């Protein structure tokens, strides 16, 4: 089978305008919660009757559903993820790496 070839892939040193996504918009920073943070969140959700599973440290479908309930109840963007804003609202401390990631994303 033939592989489609674009001008930029055929001639990477071409002086044509770059269509590289890093030029057009900032790179999205990936924010990952630790297992301990997920356990803390599951415990808090369980206390607030928004989650009835075990505090396993796994961000499963039931935990995501509980996070959505929590986010909606607290006026946060409903994502079902343990992002920086949700962790801070829950009173769960960010790791040093997460703080660095958040600082670089907010520049």
């Amino acid at each position: 089978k033939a592989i489609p070839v674009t001008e930029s892939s055929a001639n990477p040193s071409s002086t044509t305008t770059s269509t590289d996504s890093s030029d057009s918009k900032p790179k999205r920073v990936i924010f990952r919660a630790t297992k301990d943070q997920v356990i803390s969140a599951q415990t808090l959700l369980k206390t607030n009757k928004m989650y009835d599973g075990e505090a396993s440290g796994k961000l499963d479908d039931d935990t995501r559903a509980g996070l959505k309930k929590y986010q909606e109840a607290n006026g946060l963007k409903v994502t079902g993820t343990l992002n920086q804003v949700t962790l801070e609202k829950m009173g769960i401390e960010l790791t040093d790496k997460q703080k660095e990631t958040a600082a670089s994303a907010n520049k």
Side-chain angles (χ1 to χ4, degrees):
K1 287 187 176 181
I3 298 173
V5 178
T6 63
E7 181 181 341
S8 61
S9 67
N11 187 3
S13 62
S14 172
T15 57
T16 58
T17 305
S18 173
T19 57
D20 184 14
S21 64
S22 65
D23 289 343
S24 60
K25 55 186 168 183
K27 211 174 185 182
R28 193 169 147 218
V29 178
I30 297 174
F31 189 94
R32 296 202 190 278
T34 66
K35 182 176 182 176
D36 288 340
Q37 289 171 324
V38 176
I39 289 171
S40 295
Q42 288 170 324
T43 302
L44 184 136
L45 292 170
K46 196 167 187 154
T47 301
N48 289 312
K49 300 189 184 338
M50 296 178 178
Y51 172 73
D52 41 340
E54 295 302 313
S56 64
K58 294 181 181 172
L59 200 53
D60 57 17
D61 290 342
D62 290 340
T63 304
R64 289 182 188 281
L67 284 168
K68 286 179 181 179
K69 290 177 191 175
Y70 180 87
Q71 290 164 332
E72 186 173 4
N74 286 277
L76 303 176
K77 183 176 180 181
V78 179
T79 62
T81 62
L82 268 177
N83 54 36
Q84 176 190 353
V85 174
T86 303
L87 286 168
E88 289 173 344
K89 183 74 174 179
M90 290 179 147
I92 299 171
E93 190 171 344
L94 301 179
T95 65
D96 290 340
K97 184 174 181 178
Q98 289 168 334
K99 290 175 188 174
E100 288 172 21
T101 300
S104 67
N106 294 326
K107 283 185 179 178

